[in-house]
Amino acid sequence: MMDDRYFLIEEARNGNQQATEKLLVNWQPTLKKMAFKQCSLNDVDDAVQESLAIIWRRIGTLKTVEAFPGWLFIIVKRECAKLMKQTHKLDEMPDDYQ
């Protein structure tokens, strides 16, 4: 019998939308904690929202349920880096600015 903590992940991987919704609700606080450690404070909510959307779209591609926590960490880390890069670009002044 499958361990209860992996049941929702497996169901979500198999396309069960209710399981995916419950999984995302259950893991949202963890995603937020991860984002607080990886993002600037202003980017935390955006990183979490984008990460949730990515998880929703790609959960079926997850190879094993045991990989789920690490996969989440990678998604959040990439989203934080992307947001930081976008913010940094917006803060730079063009070379020809006078």
Side-chain angles (χ1 to χ4, degrees):
M1 184 170 162
M2 183 177 293
D3 189 333
D4 286 343
R5 42 192 179 140
Y6 294 124
F7 179 75
L8 277 179
I9 300 168
E10 184 62 31
E11 286 295 303
R13 282 180 60 217
N14 291 325
N16 181 327
Q17 287 190 356
Q18 288 178 324
T20 304
E21 288 171 15
K22 189 170 184 178
L23 182 69
L24 295 179
V25 168
N26 289 350
W27 280 83
Q28 187 169 359
T30 302
L31 286 172
K32 196 159 193 160
K33 287 177 191 173
M34 290 176 179
F36 269 115
K37 293 178 182 177
Q38 298 293 321
C39 291
S40 68
L41 190 57
N42 293 337
D43 291 337
V44 168
D45 289 334
D46 290 338
V48 170
Q49 285 305 114
E50 187 57 33
S51 296
L52 289 168
I54 290 168
I55 296 162
W56 176 268
R57 289 190 311 266
R58 298 187 184 162
I59 188 71
T61 66
L62 185 65
K63 298 212 184 292
T64 67
V65 293
E66 295 84 6
F68 186 73
W71 185 60
L72 293 186
F73 179 76
I74 291 167
I75 292 170
V76 171
K77 187 175 180 178
R78 286 181 182 164
E79 286 309 306
C80 289
K82 185 167 70 172
L83 289 166
M84 194 168 297
K85 187 175 179 181
Q86 289 172 353
T87 301
H88 183 67
K89 280 186 178 181
L90 291 175
D91 290 344
E92 289 179 0
M93 297 300 268
D95 292 335
D96 61 346
Y97 183 76
Q98 297 185 9

